[in-house]
Amino acid sequence: MRNNPDDLSNQLVQNIKVWLETEITNYHELETQIKNGQKAIDICDQPEIFLGRYECAENLLDQIKKWEKEND
């Protein structure tokens, strides 16, 4: 269905969800490394940014899922 707006919208939402899930996974990996004894600053320059990105990604992903349920 090339050029179908609905198909393009679905692809876009799917790509956004994959990106958000990646952000969540990256945060969990950082968290695991810290729990295993590594210093956050040794892993990345600004580790505090990961928490904000994680919270935003998790909440947006939850909101997208809520909207999808409302439209089913």
Side-chain angles (χ1 to χ4, degrees):
M1 292 193 168
R2 194 172 195 98
N3 297 324
N4 180 341
D6 291 332
D7 188 45
L8 180 59
S9 296
N10 289 334
Q11 290 175 26
L12 181 59
V13 170
Q14 185 59 34
N15 287 341
I16 291 168
K17 288 167 54 176
V18 168
W19 183 79
L20 293 170
E21 290 167 355
T22 301
E23 286 295 317
I24 292 168
T25 299
N26 289 343
Y27 175 77
H28 288 301
E29 289 174 0
L30 174 69
E31 191 176 45
T32 299
Q33 289 175 324
I34 293 169
K35 285 181 182 177
N36 288 336
Q38 289 187 339
K39 292 182 181 178
I41 198 69
D42 292 339
I43 300 169
C44 60
D45 291 337
Q46 296 176 320
E48 62 278 357
I49 290 175
F50 277 89
L51 177 58
R53 290 176 66 122
Y54 164 74
E55 290 174 342
C56 181
E58 187 174 59
N59 289 323
L60 182 54
L61 187 58
D62 288 344
Q63 186 63 49
I64 290 171
K65 289 177 182 179
K66 179 181 173 186
W67 289 329
E68 289 175 334
K69 283 182 183 178
E70 290 173 0
N71 290 317
D72 283 342

